[in-house]
Amino acid sequence: MRARSTRLAGIALAAGLGLASLAACGSSDNTSTTPGSTGDAAAGGKKIALLLPESKTTRYETFDKPLFEAAVKAACADCTIIYSNADQNAAKQQQQAESALTQGADVLVLDPVDGAAAASVVASAKGSSIPVVAYDRFIEGADYYVSFDNATVGKIQATTLVDLLKAGGKTSGDLVMINGSPTDPNAADFKSGAHSVLDGSGFKIAAEYDTPDWSPDKAQQWMEGQISAVKGNLVGVYAANDGTAGGAIAALKGGGVTPLPPVTGQDSELAAIQRILLGDQAMTIYKPIEPEAEAAAKAALALANGQTPEKTTDFKGVPSTILDPIAVVKDNIKDTVVKDGIYKVSDICTGEVAAACTEAGIS
């Protein structure tokens, strides 16, 4: 019921953010400063800079970028998108932000590599009277913030893990925690949310790691180093996202851990959905990116036109739209990522996953 009710809330919010109410301003589908299809900034459109943090997590290039561009373009065909990806390099992102300002950006939509370092981007933008939308990760001093309830993400991950363990008859044993990047403010929220559940769960956190750059390879290497110490009593793995989950699972398999303990995740990457169906990963978090991208586009266009964006709440004093995350397990894959069109059945049910799809009623 939790997954279904949160999903309906997300759909309702997405409807409330309908693009019809966006200011009369839109975007190009280009990934540079090329103007939109019917004009350019000088002809009345605005320049919207979208600055994303990295490409190791597949969501940014696959979903966030095209959905944001589509949302802007739907509202303003003569706006221009200035797009950059920082490849997990905070200094590079700073340069990209400065370049966007030099190119005449009317607003920055920034998903920071490093939340603390991004404060200097906000200061530079404000020095030029350019507003900043903090996208997905909070930035002090931003004019607007769009994200999910990140502490709740950690709580849902941890609660699902504990519930699965108890359903399997386990009430004690060792857990390991593979957290996100220490420079990502969201990772700190995921971590604190997870600890709020795990610390009083009866299970012991035997080892914990903050994964630099959210690197699956580094998560795998760290997990490989822990196996000899925890193998005999390991009952579960808290992994903050699907990339670190994949690294942990590879390490566990390589270390001869059988059966695999439940492993959490986040982002509903295709590989994670397939691992869930195969029984290698226990769950992931689905964060409907379309309403997030639409909310960011709506806020960016309002700010670019000197208007006040609508908000659902204030977060740390910043007007915000905060959305609800959804837990995805084998039983609700069809009702979440498939139903919402994130993946086609034909994308998921390939090779050895086909039989698992049939068993799960996905066809």
Side-chain angles (χ1 to χ4, degrees):
M1 289 298 292
R2 165 68 182 169
R4 176 59 62 87
S5 64
T6 355
R7 179 177 177 274
L8 291 175
I11 292 173
L13 181 53
L17 295 170
L19 294 178
S21 63
L22 292 178
C25 179
S27 95
S28 164
D29 59 359
N30 297 310
T31 58
S32 66
T33 57
T34 305
S37 59
T38 61
D40 58 22
K46 298 293 184 180
K47 290 186 177 182
I48 314 295
L50 175 63
L51 307 172
L52 295 183
E54 46 102 348
S55 55
K56 287 185 179 180
T57 304
T58 60
R59 59 165 283 190
Y60 293 113
E61 296 293 328
T62 304
F63 297 114
D64 295 83
K65 174 181 177 288
L67 286 169
F68 178 85
E69 290 178 340
V72 175
K73 185 174 182 178
C76 174
D78 64 349
C79 281
T80 299
I81 295 289
I82 302 171
Y83 174 69
S84 298
N85 188 305
D87 297 318
Q88 201 61 55
N89 185 319
K92 181 177 180 179
Q93 189 168 65
Q94 173 83 40
Q95 293 169 356
Q96 291 170 339
E98 294 293 344
S99 175
L101 293 173
T102 299
Q103 293 176 63
D106 295 290
V107 60
L108 304 185
V109 178
L110 174 62
D111 189 342
V113 173
D114 183 324
S120 63
V121 175
V122 172
S124 181
K126 288 196 170 184
S128 301
S129 300
I130 302 302
V132 176
V133 175
Y135 180 71
D136 203 56
R137 297 169 179 169
F138 184 74
I139 311 169
E140 291 286 349
D143 297 276
Y144 199 84
Y145 175 48
V146 179
S147 189
F148 289 82
D149 188 328
N150 296 311
T152 296
V153 168
K155 290 177 183 178
I156 292 173
Q157 291 171 312
T159 298
T160 304
L161 177 59
V162 170
D163 288 349
L164 287 169
L165 291 172
K166 290 184 176 179
K170 297 184 184 298
T171 56
S172 64
D174 288 347
L175 305 176
V176 296
M177 292 186 69
I178 304 178
N179 303 307
S181 171
T183 62
D184 181 351
N186 285 7
D189 290 337
F190 304 146
K191 180 178 177 178
S192 66
H195 268 291
S196 73
V197 174
L198 297 178
D199 289 351
S201 67
F203 298 95
K204 176 186 175 182
I205 299 173
E208 186 169 359
Y209 178 61
D210 292 344
T211 311
D213 301 334
W214 288 96
S215 170
D217 292 341
K218 292 175 183 176
Q220 180 174 345
Q221 291 167 6
W222 180 83
M223 187 71 245
E224 288 170 348
Q226 303 303 310
I227 289 176
S228 60
V230 302
K231 186 174 180 180
N233 202 36
L234 180 65
V235 295
V237 176
Y238 170 85
N241 77 343
D242 292 333
T244 55
I249 290 165
L252 293 167
K253 287 185 172 182
V257 177
T258 55
L260 287 174
V263 179
T264 67
Q266 178 181 187
D267 291 328
S268 293
E269 293 186 356
L270 178 58
I273 297 298
Q274 292 175 323
R275 288 194 296 264
I276 291 170
L277 286 164
L278 292 172
D280 292 344
Q281 185 169 325
M283 62 84 69
T284 186
I285 292 290
Y286 172 43
K287 298 186 292 188
I289 297 172
E290 185 171 7
E292 183 182 25
E294 289 179 355
K298 183 177 181 180
L301 292 169
L303 289 167
N305 284 289
Q307 300 168 356
T308 301
E310 297 177 11
K311 64 178 183 177
T312 62
T313 188
D314 287 293
F315 183 84
K316 297 183 180 180
V318 176
S320 304
T321 292
I322 304 296
L323 304 163
D324 289 324
I326 303 166
V328 175
V329 295
K330 185 181 293 186
D331 291 344
N332 70 341
I333 288 173
K334 187 174 181 178
D335 292 331
T336 52
V337 296
V338 173
K339 187 173 181 179
D340 286 0
I342 301 301
Y343 303 118
K344 297 177 182 177
V345 171
S346 59
D347 296 328
I348 298 171
C349 303
T350 59
E352 62 177 338
V353 187
C357 283
T358 300
E359 183 180 344
I362 300 174
S363 59

